[in-house]
Amino acid sequence: MILKVKLLSCIFALIFILLICSVCVFSLPNSDVELAGSINYQKATFNLNVNSNMEDEAVVSGTGEYNYGETITLSVTTSPASSTFMAWATSTDASNMKILSTNQTYSFLATSDSPREIYALFNKNSSVPSDVTYNGLTYAVYADCGLAKVKGVVSAEIAGNVDIPSYFTENGNSYKVFVIGNSAFENCSNITSVTIPEGVTIIEESAFSGCSSLGEIILPEGLTKIDELAFEGTS
């Protein structure tokens, strides 16, 4: 009997709550609800800073505030023209550098992952690249901008897997690898695989021509150009 009374009490209480909610809902005004004050909306933006490793000789454009989704175009000129443009990069430090483009005019879409600092890298025309040997490979290094091109192999007997470094340090200077040069590995018939790191944007003519045992090559996402005959005569 007591259980039935408690059950009925719960049912009546639930009905009462539903009636109160109904009254509250139907008592709302029919007019639109007005919010006091105002809401300020500002489109997301970010600031881009564009520099050069040779501020006195290069005039760069592109510094400013941009909206996400906007196309950004960077360009650079030299005044006087005593230096050669090499690449757009995210840093002048080879160990932290990401090569963006080797074209003098560079466009990209502004996203949350876009770099906030970009450098136009130059090498003085009076500065002749020197040859450096590192880990079985010969590089032409550009001291002014910290870049390096794979020039060749120390020995044509090089065999197995070739793992080209993203950057290397020699005699206290660091260099970012950004090009595989003409005929760099030509006729290295004992190479079976090659790993080319991020940062390399160009593989020049006949770079791996005649590498008859080459069966696998890992290419970087940033690669923009493969010249003629780069892989002629490979398997």
Side-chain angles (χ1 to χ4, degrees):
M1 184 68 180
I2 295 175
L3 182 61
K4 290 182 178 180
V5 171
K6 289 183 176 181
L7 182 60
L8 289 173
S9 299
C10 290
I11 293 173
F12 284 125
L14 181 60
I15 294 172
F16 179 75
I17 292 172
L18 291 174
L19 288 173
I20 293 297
C21 291
S22 299
V23 171
C24 291
V25 170
F26 285 109
S27 63
L28 288 174
N30 292 326
S31 60
D32 295 334
V33 177
E34 295 183 3
L35 297 177
S38 61
I39 299 175
N40 293 322
Y41 173 74
Q42 185 174 2
K43 194 171 184 178
T45 61
F46 73 87
N47 290 315
L48 175 64
N49 198 21
V50 185
N51 304 293
S52 171
N53 68 320
M54 293 186 179
E55 294 290 352
D56 295 336
E57 299 184 22
V59 178
V60 294
S61 65
T63 294
E65 186 177 79
Y66 294 92
N67 298 318
Y68 291 116
E70 186 176 352
T71 298
I72 301 173
T73 299
L74 309 182
S75 62
V76 63
T77 56
T78 55
S79 178
S82 59
S83 299
T84 300
F85 175 78
M86 303 297 288
W88 294 100
T90 57
S91 173
T92 56
D93 178 8
S95 62
N96 297 316
M97 183 187 297
K98 180 180 179 182
I99 302 296
L100 302 172
S101 175
T102 54
N103 296 323
Q104 200 155 329
T105 300
Y106 170 55
S107 296
F108 64 97
L109 195 66
T111 69
S112 59
D113 297 326
S114 297
R116 298 326 197 240
E117 195 88 17
I118 296 179
Y119 291 84
L121 301 182
F122 286 84
N123 200 69
K124 290 182 179 178
N125 292 341
S126 59
S127 179
V128 180
S130 56
D131 289 350
V132 169
T133 298
Y134 177 80
N135 200 24
L137 300 179
T138 302
Y139 298 86
V141 298
Y142 301 85
D144 292 334
C145 55
L147 297 177
K149 175 196 289 190
V150 180
K151 189 174 181 180
V153 297
V154 174
S155 172
E157 300 303 315
I158 187 171
N161 176 63
V162 175
D163 193 356
I164 300 171
S166 174
Y167 76 97
F168 62 92
T169 301
E170 189 70 15
N171 297 325
N173 298 313
S174 295
Y175 303 98
K176 180 74 172 180
V177 181
F178 78 122
V179 174
I180 309 299
N182 288 336
S183 305
F185 296 91
E186 187 174 20
N187 295 325
C188 293
S189 57
N190 294 319
I191 293 177
T192 57
S193 60
V194 176
T195 300
I196 299 178
E198 285 297 331
V200 171
T201 58
I202 299 172
I203 299 176
E204 293 184 343
E205 186 174 344
S206 301
F208 296 93
S209 177
C211 295
S212 55
S213 298
L214 182 61
E216 179 184 24
I217 185 164
I218 298 175
L219 302 175
E221 290 185 3
L223 186 67
T224 59
K225 184 180 181 183
I226 299 176
D227 283 343
E228 292 182 333
L229 309 177
F231 296 99
E232 184 190 30
T234 62
S235 58

